[in-house]
Amino acid sequence: MSKALPNPLAGMFFDLDGTLADSAPDLHDALVALCAERGTAAPGYAAVRAVTSRGARAVLATAFAAQGQEAIDALLPRYLELYAATGTRRTHPFPGIEELLNKLESRGIKWGVITNKAGFLTMPLLQRLGYASRVAAVVSGDTLPVRKPHPDPVLHACAQAGVEPAHCVFVGDDPRDVQAGSAAGVHTVVAGWGYVEGADPREWGADAIADSAAQIAAWLD
């Protein structure tokens, strides 16, 4: 670990897709369905996984980039419908996440989710994973007028949980997570187990990089 966790530690917040949950399989399934509707060849799973943390438009671009941004924007509502229709059946917490959350809860450390995913998709997923009743804060992409990398979603989550930013950690697998957390004054950790393919997280300026959720759990000791 590059920099020690805050002491005392009051809160730990997580990005959702690619940090807390492995959601790429369902996002790819929805894209395959959309491509079938549009008569377009669907990209492979690896291409979608690599951009999942950048959001739905980035996923759509893996198949429809040649049609331009306006076409991608027009396809977005239908894509989100198809994604919701998957029931997120193939989305699961990453290895070690459940153990980490249990450890946080056993120590009275509040935890929450800060995501750019729309709220109508965020809450059903958290409910299916069994997290909706456990989180101290949930900030979705449409909770505020701004989204990550703006610091306000992080500050809003801290306020919801009743914790001071200086005593909190934000864990994410995208540069925007680090930028938002740093600007909000929280300790930032890159989720090295997430969708960071082809990127070098050492260039993002985070306080630490974790290879696994279990490693973060070990840092708590």
Side-chain angles (χ1 to χ4, degrees), residues 37-165:
E37 287 183 358
R38 300 287 166 159
T40 299
Y45 172 71
V48 170
R49 178 183 171 88
V51 302
T52 290
S53 287
R54 299 181 210 163
R57 286 181 176 82
V59 171
L60 284 168
T62 63
F64 299 101
Q67 298 184 25
Q69 192 58 51
E70 285 189 10
I72 289 173
D73 290 343
L75 288 168
L76 183 62
R78 179 56 180 157
Y79 174 66
L80 295 180
E81 284 180 1
L82 291 167
Y83 171 63
T86 68
T88 60
R89 288 180 293 273
R90 298 214 290 150
T91 296
H92 302 284
F94 279 101
I97 285 293
E98 188 60 38
E99 292 79 6
L100 173 56
L101 298 182
N102 287 337
K103 196 167 193 176
L104 292 171
E105 290 171 352
S106 72
R107 298 184 177 205
I109 299 169
K110 296 180 178 179
W111 67 272
V113 172
I114 306 168
T115 177
N116 281 354
K117 199 183 197 84
F120 82 96
L121 297 170
T122 299
M123 291 312 299
L125 177 54
L126 292 177
Q127 289 166 356
R128 197 187 69 72
L129 295 174
Y131 294 157
S133 62
R134 298 167 61 181
V135 289
V138 178
V139 181
S140 299
D142 50 3
T143 300
L144 302 174
V146 293
R147 311 193 305 168
K148 300 177 296 184
H150 199 284
D152 280 3
V154 180
L155 295 172
H156 190 68
C158 291
Q160 275 188 1
V163 290
E164 290 295 325

Side-chain angles (χ1 to χ4, degrees), residues 165-180:
H167 297 292
C168 293
V169 173
F170 184 30
V171 185
D173 70 315
D174 188 85
R176 292 174 300 179
D177 299 319
V178 176
Q179 293 163 15

